[in-house]
Amino acid sequence: MPKNKKKPESSSSDSDDGPVDRNPPAEKKAKMGSRTEDKEPTWVLQGKKLVKVREFKGKVYVDVREFYEKNGEMLPGKKGISLTPEQWRKLLSLGDEINEAISSSC
């Protein structure tokens, strides 16, 4: 004998607006490549991949990292790299060579 399942009672309403979305889509905090409003200078590469200029143990780093959301707060994940200002400058100086290598690979 099947169990009787009670259907949730719907509220009677005079409007014909249709069902109400109880979980509206999250707002995008920043567009790709844009800077966000944060205490640390932050740029969004794509999705939750961010570039931040941060201070850690009294030293400044350029942090390229994947973040995750917990309790409405964006937290840094394990996937990423922190570069010293010297390493960052070196990477930038290699930009043309890297672009050429990318172009010849495609």
Side-chain angles (χ1 to χ4, degrees):
M1 185 164 156
K3 294 182 180 180
N4 291 336
K5 291 184 180 180
K6 292 184 180 179
K7 293 183 182 178
E9 294 182 23
S10 61
S11 62
S12 61
S13 173
D14 290 340
S15 74
D16 286 335
D17 292 341
V20 176
D21 188 4
R22 293 184 181 165
N23 297 318
E27 292 183 28
K28 292 185 178 180
K29 296 181 182 178
K31 293 181 181 177
M32 187 168 101
S34 64
R35 186 169 175 175
T36 64
E37 297 299 322
D38 197 354
K39 61 185 175 186
E40 299 169 324
T42 304
W43 296 265
V44 177
L45 291 177
Q46 182 180 23
K48 294 183 180 179
K49 293 178 182 165
L50 309 178
V51 177
K52 289 183 175 251
V53 176
R54 346 177 55 178
E55 190 173 324
F56 182 71
K57 294 187 178 182
K59 296 185 180 182
V60 175
Y61 293 95
V62 176
D63 195 34
V64 182
R65 189 158 305 279
E66 193 169 285
F67 282 69
Y68 66 96
E69 195 169 343
K70 182 176 181 183
N71 299 328
E73 188 177 354
M74 293 294 286
L75 300 172
K78 293 180 182 180
K79 294 181 181 180
I81 184 170
S82 293
L83 302 171
T84 64
E86 294 78 24
Q87 292 169 329
W88 174 252
R89 289 183 192 100
K90 177 68 173 181
L91 178 63
L92 289 178
S93 73
L94 297 171
D96 290 337
E97 290 180 51
I98 294 169
N99 284 332
E100 285 178 26
I102 291 171
S103 294
S104 65
S105 297
C106 298

